[in-house]
Amino acid sequence: MTRTLRGLYEDSTRTLRGLYEESPPKYSHRLQTSTHTHLRGLSTSSAFSYTFPTPTSPPSSLSHIPLTPNQKVYAIGDVHGSLKKLLHALTVAKLVKIPEGKEDEIVLKDVEWIGGDSLLVQCGDVLDRGSFECACFHLLAVLSRKAAEEGGGVVLCLGNHEVLNTLGLFNYADKGGNEEFERIFGDFFDAQSGSESWRLNYAGNQPARWRACEPGGAFSSFGFLNNFVLATQIGRSVFVHGGLTKEHLEEYGGIEGMNEKARRWFEEEVYRPEVGEEEKVGGEVKDIVACAQNRARAIQSSMPEFLGGGSPDTPSPVWMRDYSSPADSKPGNDSANKLLQNALDTIGGEAARMVVGHTPQSRINSACGGKVWRIDVGMSEGVMNNMPEMLEIVHGEVEDTVTVISTREGRVAAGDRTMESQGGEKGEKGDSDIFLRG
């Protein structure tokens, strides 16, 4: 029996009246674009044609992106499945516009990119803690294609939660998010396999989510996970989820080397059941569990070392908090300034600052003399439910202008968000006090 996925959320569309209703709205997620990406292993003669726009540039071209004078870069931190907060932030930053008359039912493909040649960087952790993870991915992919048409672009960085989901670790998955994966991918995988027995290979561990996220799975076939970068240098700014050190860069081939290794891991199918193993999953519980354990071990053992937790002395670039913890304070690691400067020096060129997520702050702020910006504000309802903020960097011929765009406070000068400013020391050059009320 062949089924199709004709649009996400078509059976569960609610209106969007007010971005901050207590009950999260659902969204019409109709996937009708000119770019078709077929799932791995699916015959082109199948009735299934799932259009899922993908990021437009391969990671190899995103490791270092030069900027022209006055070109803008916008960075947003951990999204964690909150589509309404993501849309709100992008709207307040004047990167997107919801077409008139569409405010009550947002169809993601209709969201307009109005950011011109600006670049948008999402610093990881789209997954987990929220109910609209796939929808957030879809919106970012739509905007990637539309921004490219205007000379701009969207860059997606890996977060530790993208890695966790690839490994089949769903401790932080939201119930609504699990239902979203099942609603989108479950029926298709049933049809692709000819039955529901494939689910036993995952031993009840969110089979639709895991099959979509595992290496070589649907998310890679759609061009998502394998189009993420571990890090990117854009102009004078380096973007990464947790942080980078000199040791990371020297041991794993620099930013470009890590991006390439991560891409290969996500797109290559690393686990195939042994002959007869698939038949065993219909038998004893112990055989079902053993199959899932073999899958988890194969995926984990194939993972690039720099995506793991790392050691206490050298945590992974997607896990480290040396530049961002404790929140809203100077880094607790007394060596943070030296670590950061050594990393920037190793990257070389014009690298002057690092922008990180991962550790929720009450608001975007900088430390280490403005050389690190911490942009995760815990905006998801599943984290701190804070109002979203974005970082704006305007590339200058000599130095950049850095501004925080707050959906509550408007435009905030960089100097007013540095930890050192509390002691009278200013960091970045700031913008004027122009307020955009969100």
Side-chain angles (χ1 to χ4, degrees):
M1 180 174 100
T2 302
R3 305 182 207 176
T4 63
L5 291 175
R6 295 191 180 95
L8 281 68
Y9 311 112
E10 287 188 343
D11 297 329
S12 57
T13 301
R14 282 193 265 163
T15 60
L16 182 65
R17 297 186 185 276
L19 286 168
Y20 295 97
E21 298 171 330
E22 288 186 11
S23 177
K26 293 190 178 180
Y27 302 83
S28 179
H29 195 171
R30 298 174 187 144
L31 307 181
Q32 298 172 358
T33 70
S34 60
T35 303
H36 288 57
T37 303
H38 295 279
L39 280 171
R40 184 186 299 274
L42 182 67
S43 168
T44 55
S45 63
S46 168
F48 179 85
S49 182
Y50 183 51
T51 56
F52 211 128
T54 61
T56 55
S57 301
S60 58
S61 67
L62 300 179
S63 296
H64 186 191
I65 303 174
L67 297 175
T68 57
N70 298 317
Q71 191 172 7
K72 296 178 181 179
V73 182
Y74 293 86
I76 189 167
D78 305 34
V79 173
H80 283 305
S82 182
L83 182 59
K84 63 182 181 180
K85 296 287 187 73
L86 175 59
L87 273 168
H88 191 187
L90 296 174
T91 302
V92 170
K94 296 186 177 180
L95 289 175
V96 307
K97 178 182 178 182
I98 298 170
E100 293 183 11
K102 298 286 187 178
E103 294 85 356
D104 290 339
E105 180 183 292
I106 297 178
V107 180
L108 297 184
K109 73 178 182 67
D110 293 334
V111 176
E112 299 176 9
W113 174 265
I114 58 173
D117 67 351
S118 297
L119 298 176
L120 169 65
V121 183
Q122 198 288 313
C123 277
D125 281 6
V126 174
L127 291 176
D128 287 338
R129 302 189 188 276
S131 299
F132 296 98
E133 302 156 272
C134 297
C136 287
F137 273 136
H138 183 76
L139 174 63
L140 290 167
V142 167
L143 296 179
S144 174
R145 305 196 71 81
K146 293 185 176 184
E149 294 173 358
E150 303 296 325
V154 176
V155 182
L156 306 176
C157 293
L158 281 170
N160 59 304
H161 284 266
E162 279 74 50
V163 176
L164 288 172
N165 276 260
T166 306
L167 295 170
L169 299 174
F170 307 129
N171 313 55
Y172 303 97
D174 178 81
K175 178 182 177 182
N178 289 334
E179 292 172 351
E180 182 193 40
F181 271 94
E182 180 61 36
R183 184 168 63 246
I184 296 168
F185 294 108
D187 282 354
F188 170 72
F189 290 147
D190 290 346
Q192 187 183 40
S193 300
S195 72
E196 297 184 1
S197 63
W198 65 270
R199 298 169 184 270
L200 293 174
N201 290 287
Y202 300 87
N205 184 26
Q206 298 301 331
R209 177 186 280 267
W210 197 1
R211 182 164 173 173
C213 292
E214 67 182 345
F219 264 21
S220 291
S221 296
F222 289 159
F224 275 106
L225 290 176
N226 56 327
N227 271 286
F228 274 70
V229 293
L230 178 83
T232 181
Q233 179 185 356
I234 303 178
R236 300 181 181 94
S237 304
V238 177
F239 300 86
V240 63
H241 184 62
L244 288 170
T245 66
K246 176 182 179 180
E247 288 71 25
H248 293 145
L249 295 159
E250 291 182 341
E251 186 169 352
Y252 302 115
I255 291 175
E256 187 170 358
M258 287 186 280
N259 286 346
E260 178 61 20
K261 291 180 178 71
R263 180 193 64 79
R264 289 202 304 266
W265 181 60
F266 280 111
E267 72 181 8
E268 294 175 4
E269 186 178 0
V270 300
Y271 175 74
R272 293 180 178 84
E274 296 178 2
V275 176
E277 189 173 30
E278 288 183 323
E279 288 74 17
K280 288 181 181 179
V281 299
E284 300 290 333
V285 172
K286 63 180 179 64
D287 294 326
I288 295 173
V289 172
C291 179
Q293 289 175 335
N294 289 341
R295 180 180 301 273
R297 279 192 290 265
I299 295 172
Q300 185 168 6
S301 63
S302 68
M303 180 179 66
E305 186 179 1
F306 58 82
L307 292 180
S311 68
D313 295 330
T314 311
S316 160
V318 297
W319 284 97
M320 71 175 290
R321 303 183 190 272
D322 296 75
Y323 308 139
S324 56
S325 181
D328 303 310
S329 301
K330 298 178 183 179
N333 184 344
D334 293 336
S335 300
N337 283 359
K338 183 178 180 180
L339 281 173
L340 179 60
Q341 190 60 58
N342 286 343
L344 293 173
D345 289 344
T346 302
I347 293 169
E350 56 183 1
R353 71 183 65 82
M354 197 172 292
V355 181
V356 303
H358 188 45
T359 303
Q361 317 283 317
S362 66
R363 57 185 187 167
I364 288 178
N365 61 75
S366 74
C368 302
K371 292 184 178 180
V372 62
W373 280 89
R374 295 92 68 88
I375 66 169
D376 176 14
V377 295
M379 63 181 174
S380 172
E381 297 86 346
V383 185
M384 296 164 63
N385 200 25
N386 278 341
M387 296 289 282
E389 295 190 337
M390 296 186 70
L391 192 68
E392 177 192 80
I393 302 171
V394 182
H395 186 69
E397 292 187 11
V398 179
E399 59 180 298
D400 301 336
T401 300
V402 180
T403 306
V404 175
I405 299 180
S406 169
T407 55
R408 187 187 299 275
E409 301 174 48
R411 296 178 68 88
V412 182
D416 294 334
R417 288 292 185 90
T418 63
M419 294 299 97
E420 289 84 355
S421 67
Q422 298 175 3
E425 178 186 343
K426 295 292 183 179
E428 300 277 359
K429 172 186 173 186
D431 197 3
S432 58
D433 293 329
I434 302 172
F435 288 89
L436 301 173
R437 296 297 179 185

